């Protein structure tokens, strides 16, 4: 079987800190993964490796069949779409929304720009339509709401027609309406068999869209708490261990909920 992602004992160290500790993880064609874990668990670092933006300190990371360290990452990177807060910071506020999306294609090497420009624009507008932000194509990015920006960032990450799409906390900073619109858009993406393999990073189980199939649950200190089919991994026991407190998990209507096993007021009385 050829994996979309195959991590073998991947370790990342910075100075004396171990950010990822001997991590194993395999992702196959057609899967839709949630990566869940507390703040500082190493999710963003892991996504840097999965998107060929960073090499492990030790271990082996194979992305779309190419082993990092033995491949030209500039050829590999366009095959992985990435949307993250760090990348979003570089989007100029005065750039037109359509250009935010279309310029993602400029990173692709070996293209004859003049011939492709019209096709690129058509594709960018189609992606904006999929995420219901096409009416904003001629606005500047800086004038959009946070929720609209997030959807434009995902459209941008899809511009190169990637085989793997990684979304690092797209729900961060959204209000309830914005979150629900995003969850709806991601559920549609997950249901589309033509979509790339999806990896969605979050620390809120309420942000898991219907249609996601697997979960990588990170525990403390850059370790894997559990990995596999979503319903098997997302149990109260696993989640409590990952977050270091007793938690309850509920599922209904295609969505997940989590909360402390004991209300804070009751805990305080003991
Ligand atoms: N370049 C770095 N140097 C030192 N520590 C880092 C570096 N990048 C991240 N870290 C630390 O590694 C841990 C994991 O960070 P990160 O991958 O951003 O976690 P998450 O995305 O799960 O919140 C954090 O404690 C963070 O402070
Ligand atoms: Mg992060």
């Amino acid at each position: 079987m050829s994996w979309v992602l195959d991590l073998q004992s991947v370790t990342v160290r910075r100075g004396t800190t171990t950010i990822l500790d001997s991590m194993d993880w395999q992702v196959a064609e057609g899967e839709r993964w949630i990566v869940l874990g507390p703040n500082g668990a190493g999710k963003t670092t892991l996504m840097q490796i999965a998107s060929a933006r960073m090499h492990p300190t030790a271990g082996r990371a194979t992305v779309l069949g190419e082993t990092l360290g033995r491949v030209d990452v500039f050829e590999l990177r366009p095959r992985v779409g990435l949307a993250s807060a760090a990348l979003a910071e570089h989007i100029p506020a005065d750039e037109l929304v359509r250009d935010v999306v279309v310029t993602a294609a400029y990173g692709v090497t070996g293209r004859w720009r003049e011939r492709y420009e019209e096709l690129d624009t058509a594709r960018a507008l189609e992606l904006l339509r999929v995420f219901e932000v096409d009416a904003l194509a001629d606005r500047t990015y800086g004038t959009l709401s946070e929720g609209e920006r997030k959807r434009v960032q995902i459209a941008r990450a899809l511009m190169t027609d990637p085989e793997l799409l990684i979304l690092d906390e797209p729900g961060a900073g959204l209000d309830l309406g914005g979150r629900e619109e995003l969850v709806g858009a991601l559920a549609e993406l997950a249901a589309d068999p033509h979509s790339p393999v999806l990896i969605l990073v979050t620390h809120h189980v309420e942000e898991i869209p219907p249609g996601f199939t697997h979960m990588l649950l990170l525990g403390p200190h850059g370790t894997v708490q559990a990995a596999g089919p979503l319903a098997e991994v997302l149990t109260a026991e696993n989640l409590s261990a990952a977050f270091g407190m007793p938690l309850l998990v509920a599922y209904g209507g295609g969505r997940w909920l989590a909360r402390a096993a004991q209300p804070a007021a009751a805990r305080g009385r003991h």
Side-chain angles (χ1 to χ4, degrees):
M1 171 160 211
S2 71
W3 299 107
V4 171
L5 203 59
D6 183 13
L7 307 189
Q8 303 279 347
S9 303
V10 161
T11 297
V12 172
R13 287 189 213 98
R14 290 287 177 269
T16 55
T17 311
T18 301
I19 301 175
L20 299 178
D21 194 1
S22 198
M23 200 172 273
D24 295 324
W25 184 29
Q26 283 83 37
V27 172
E29 273 311 329
E31 293 178 346
R32 281 88 177 84
W33 280 79
I34 300 291
V35 175
L36 191 98
N39 278 326
K43 302 181 296 295
T44 294
T45 305
L46 185 60
M47 294 309 113
Q48 293 292 305
I49 289 175
S51 60
R53 267 80 175 172
M54 186 196 285
H55 287 203
T57 313
R60 198 184 63 196
T62 304
V63 181
L64 299 168
E66 307 286 352
T67 300
L68 300 188
R70 292 189 221 149
V71 62
D72 178 358
V73 288
F74 292 99
E75 281 186 19
L76 184 54
R77 280 179 196 163
R79 297 172 60 198
V80 184
L82 174 67
S84 69
L87 288 179
E89 273 176 23
H90 295 291
I91 301 175
D94 60 357
E95 190 160 57
L96 290 181
V97 166
R98 62 164 72 227
D99 293 335
V100 170
V101 178
V102 92
T103 53
Y106 295 175
V108 180
T109 51
R111 280 191 164 194
W112 183 30
R113 297 280 2 128
E114 279 169 50
R115 182 166 162 210
Y116 279 93
E117 221 145 88
E118 251 175 56
L119 285 177
D120 284 347
T121 303
R123 175 166 174 78
L125 291 175
E126 170 60 17
L127 286 166
L128 288 170
R129 196 191 59 72
V130 169
F131 289 94
E132 296 177 8
V133 278
D134 49 325
L136 308 174
D138 294 317
R139 290 252 301 269
T140 55
Y141 180 75
T143 65
L144 304 189
S145 75
E146 199 53 40
E148 290 161 349
R149 286 182 197 188
K150 290 284 159 57
R151 283 181 279 152
V152 169
Q153 289 162 28
I154 298 170
R156 177 181 161 85
L158 282 164
M159 184 65 201
T160 59
D161 198 13
E163 292 149 76
L164 171 62
L165 177 67
I166 297 175
L167 306 173
D168 191 350
E169 290 200 36
L174 298 187
D175 67 11
L176 185 56
R179 182 189 84 184
E180 289 305 298
E181 280 174 4
L182 181 72
V183 168
L186 294 179
E188 276 185 42
L189 202 61
D192 185 345
H194 300 296
S195 290
V197 171
L198 303 175
I199 299 176
L200 171 63
V201 177
T202 179
H203 44 226
H204 294 300
V205 302
E206 291 76 8
E207 287 177 3
I208 299 173
F212 274 70
T213 59
H214 289 74
M215 175 175 279
L216 175 71
L217 182 60
L218 297 187
H221 315 300
T223 55
V224 174
Q225 182 67 44
L230 181 56
E232 286 173 27
V233 171
L234 191 43
T235 62
E237 192 184 357
N238 282 336
L239 202 66
S240 301
F243 284 83
M245 69 184 296
L247 294 166
L248 296 177
V249 176
Y251 177 80
R255 300 289 297 277
W256 296 85
L257 298 168
R259 65 172 173 82
Q262 267 186 323
R267 272 205 311 274
R269 283 200 293 272
H270 292 292

